[in-house]
Amino acid sequence: MGLALLLGGCGGSASDDAAVTVPEASVTDAGAGAGAGAGALPTDLPTDLVLPSQTASAQPTPAVTTGIGALRGTLVPKHFPFPKDATPRLVSAEAQATTVALSGVTADDVIRYYRQSMPSAGYTFQQQNIAGGQTTLTYTGYGQRVQVNAGGSREVTLVFTGG
Protein backbone atom coordinates (compact mmCIF):
# COMPACT_ATOMS: atom_id res chain seq x y z
CA MET A 1 0.00 0.00 0.00
CA GLY A 2 2.81 2.38 0.93
CA LEU A 3 4.59 1.59 -2.33
CA ALA A 4 1.43 2.33 -4.27
CA LEU A 5 1.13 5.72 -2.61
CA LEU A 6 4.79 6.46 -3.19
CA LEU A 7 4.61 5.57 -6.88
CA GLY A 8 1.32 7.40 -7.27
CA GLY A 9 2.78 10.57 -5.73
CA CYS A 10 5.87 10.42 -7.98
CA GLY A 11 4.01 10.10 -11.24
CA GLY A 12 4.42 6.31 -11.48
CA SER A 13 1.57 3.89 -11.47
CA ALA A 14 0.76 0.87 -9.40
CA SER A 15 -1.45 -1.89 -10.58
CA ASP A 16 -4.60 -2.37 -8.58
CA ASP A 17 -4.22 -6.08 -9.13
CA ALA A 18 -0.71 -6.33 -7.64
CA ALA A 19 -0.67 -7.30 -4.01
CA VAL A 20 1.86 -5.40 -1.94
CA THR A 21 3.05 -7.15 1.20
CA VAL A 22 4.73 -5.20 3.93
CA PRO A 23 6.55 -7.36 6.47
CA GLU A 24 5.71 -6.67 10.10
CA ALA A 25 8.58 -5.34 12.16
CA SER A 26 9.77 -7.47 15.01
CA VAL A 27 10.36 -5.68 18.30
CA THR A 28 10.75 -8.66 20.56
CA ASP A 29 14.40 -7.97 21.41
CA ALA A 30 14.54 -4.22 20.74
CA GLY A 31 15.12 -2.41 24.00
CA ALA A 32 15.12 -5.58 26.02
CA GLY A 33 17.29 -3.78 28.57
CA ALA A 34 16.27 -3.04 32.11
CA GLY A 35 12.52 -2.54 32.43
CA ALA A 36 11.82 -2.23 28.70
CA GLY A 37 8.61 -3.87 27.56
CA ALA A 38 7.66 -5.14 24.14
CA GLY A 39 7.72 -2.26 21.69
CA ALA A 40 9.86 -0.02 23.92
CA LEU A 41 12.52 2.06 22.22
CA PRO A 42 16.14 1.29 23.06
CA THR A 43 17.73 3.86 25.33
CA ASP A 44 21.35 2.77 25.05
CA LEU A 45 21.92 3.74 21.41
CA PRO A 46 23.98 6.87 20.64
CA THR A 47 22.03 9.95 19.57
CA ASP A 48 22.65 13.64 19.17
CA LEU A 49 19.14 14.49 20.30
CA VAL A 50 18.84 15.91 23.80
CA LEU A 51 16.70 13.55 25.82
CA PRO A 52 14.49 14.83 28.67
CA SER A 53 16.68 12.98 31.16
CA GLN A 54 19.70 14.98 29.92
CA THR A 55 18.18 18.42 30.45
CA ALA A 56 18.34 20.30 33.72
CA SER A 57 15.23 21.95 35.11
CA ALA A 58 17.07 24.93 36.58
CA GLN A 59 19.02 27.47 34.63
CA PRO A 60 22.72 26.63 34.33
CA THR A 61 25.01 28.51 36.68
CA PRO A 62 27.47 30.66 34.74
CA ALA A 63 31.16 29.71 34.91
CA VAL A 64 32.01 33.24 36.08
CA THR A 65 30.71 33.92 39.59
CA THR A 66 32.10 37.38 40.33
CA GLY A 67 31.46 40.69 38.58
CA ILE A 68 28.68 41.93 36.33
CA GLY A 69 29.37 39.14 33.80
CA ALA A 70 28.31 36.56 36.39
CA LEU A 71 24.79 38.02 36.43
CA ARG A 72 24.01 37.40 32.75
CA GLY A 73 21.15 34.97 32.30
CA THR A 74 19.85 35.52 35.84
CA LEU A 75 16.89 37.52 37.15
CA VAL A 76 19.12 40.59 37.65
CA PRO A 77 18.10 43.19 35.04
CA LYS A 78 20.84 44.74 32.91
CA HIS A 79 19.90 48.22 34.14
CA PHE A 80 20.03 47.33 37.87
CA PRO A 81 22.14 49.84 39.88
CA PHE A 82 25.14 48.78 41.96
CA PRO A 83 27.17 50.99 44.33
CA LYS A 84 30.35 52.33 42.76
CA ASP A 85 32.85 50.20 44.72
CA ALA A 86 30.69 47.08 45.03
CA THR A 87 31.72 43.79 43.49
CA PRO A 88 28.74 41.49 42.89
CA ARG A 89 29.17 37.72 43.42
CA LEU A 90 26.54 35.28 42.23
CA VAL A 91 25.45 33.13 45.19
CA SER A 92 22.61 31.25 43.49
CA ALA A 93 20.61 31.48 40.28
CA GLU A 94 17.37 29.55 39.93
CA ALA A 95 14.33 29.95 37.72
CA GLN A 96 12.42 32.12 40.22
CA ALA A 97 15.13 33.48 42.55
CA THR A 98 18.64 34.91 42.23
CA THR A 99 20.85 35.86 45.17
CA VAL A 100 23.81 38.20 44.76
CA ALA A 101 26.35 39.08 47.49
CA LEU A 102 28.13 42.44 47.43
CA SER A 103 31.68 42.96 48.64
CA GLY A 104 33.80 46.10 48.78
CA VAL A 105 31.06 48.17 50.45
CA THR A 106 29.79 48.56 54.00
CA ALA A 107 26.27 47.66 55.08
CA ASP A 108 25.47 51.29 55.95
CA ASP A 109 26.68 52.49 52.54
CA VAL A 110 24.57 49.87 50.76
CA ILE A 111 21.41 50.80 52.67
CA ARG A 112 21.98 54.51 52.00
CA TYR A 113 22.76 53.87 48.31
CA TYR A 114 19.68 51.76 47.61
CA ARG A 115 17.33 54.10 49.51
CA GLN A 116 18.44 56.83 47.12
CA SER A 117 18.92 54.95 43.84
CA MET A 118 16.03 52.46 43.67
CA PRO A 119 13.20 54.98 43.11
CA SER A 120 15.09 56.70 40.28
CA ALA A 121 15.86 53.25 38.78
CA GLY A 122 12.10 52.55 38.53
CA TYR A 123 11.57 50.51 41.71
CA THR A 124 8.86 51.22 44.29
CA PHE A 125 9.68 51.01 48.01
CA GLN A 126 7.51 48.43 49.81
CA GLN A 127 8.87 48.03 53.34
CA GLN A 128 11.81 48.18 55.71
CA ASN A 129 12.48 45.57 58.38
CA ILE A 130 15.19 45.77 61.05
CA ALA A 131 15.93 42.67 63.14
CA GLY A 132 19.10 41.42 64.80
CA GLY A 133 21.09 44.36 63.51
CA GLN A 134 20.19 43.56 59.91
CA THR A 135 18.16 45.90 57.73
CA THR A 136 16.04 44.53 54.90
CA LEU A 137 14.66 46.89 52.28
CA THR A 138 12.03 45.52 49.89
CA TYR A 139 11.31 47.04 46.49
CA THR A 140 9.16 46.01 43.52
CA GLY A 141 9.53 46.89 39.89
CA TYR A 142 9.85 45.39 36.43
CA GLY A 143 7.69 42.42 37.46
CA GLN A 144 9.95 41.37 40.30
CA ARG A 145 10.69 41.87 43.97
CA VAL A 146 14.15 42.90 45.22
CA GLN A 147 15.27 42.59 48.83
CA VAL A 148 18.39 44.36 50.03
CA ASN A 149 19.81 42.68 53.15
CA ALA A 150 22.62 44.48 54.97
CA GLY A 151 24.08 44.63 58.46
CA GLY A 152 24.47 42.27 61.35
CA SER A 153 26.88 39.38 60.99
CA ARG A 154 25.66 38.38 57.52
CA GLU A 155 27.08 39.47 54.20
CA VAL A 156 25.32 42.14 52.14
CA THR A 157 22.95 40.40 49.72
CA LEU A 158 20.38 41.24 47.09
CA VAL A 159 17.60 38.72 46.46
CA PHE A 160 15.64 38.94 43.19
CA THR A 161 12.38 36.99 42.95
CA GLY A 162 9.68 36.78 40.31
CA GLY A 163 10.37 37.49 36.76
Side-chain angles (χ1 to χ4, degrees):
M1 180 78 171
L3 182 60
L5 291 176
L6 181 63
L7 289 175
C10 294
S13 64
S15 168
D16 289 337
D17 297 335
V20 178
T21 335
V22 179
E24 292 187 29
S26 172
V27 291
T28 56
D29 289 333
L41 296 175
T43 58
D44 58 346
L45 297 177
T47 179
D48 37 337
L49 295 176
V50 177
L51 302 174
S53 62
Q54 296 172 328
T55 59
S57 59
Q59 296 177 352
T61 303
V64 178
T65 59
T66 304
I68 299 298
L71 306 178
R72 288 189 191 114
T74 67
L75 293 178
V76 181
K78 290 180 183 180
H79 66 274
F80 191 79
F82 289 96
K84 179 182 174 189
D85 296 327
T87 301
R89 177 178 53 86
L90 185 61
V91 174
S92 68
E94 299 172 11
Q96 293 296 316
T98 296
T99 302
V100 176
L102 298 181
S103 60
V105 290
T106 67
D108 290 339
D109 289 343
V110 166
I111 294 298
R112 191 172 19 261
Y113 175 81
Y114 282 112
R115 281 184 179 151
Q116 295 172 356
S117 67
M118 291 296 274
S120 61
Y123 290 88
T124 303
F125 175 78
Q126 295 297 308
Q127 69 180 14
Q128 174 178 308
N129 187 12
I130 300 173
Q134 181 167 352
T135 301
T136 300
L137 302 175
T138 304
Y139 294 89
T140 56
Y142 305 97
Q144 64 184 190
R145 178 176 149 162
V146 180
Q147 286 187 318
V148 179
N149 304 304
S153 60
R154 298 183 183 180
E155 63 186 345
V156 176
T157 60
L158 305 172
V159 179
F160 299 82
T161 55

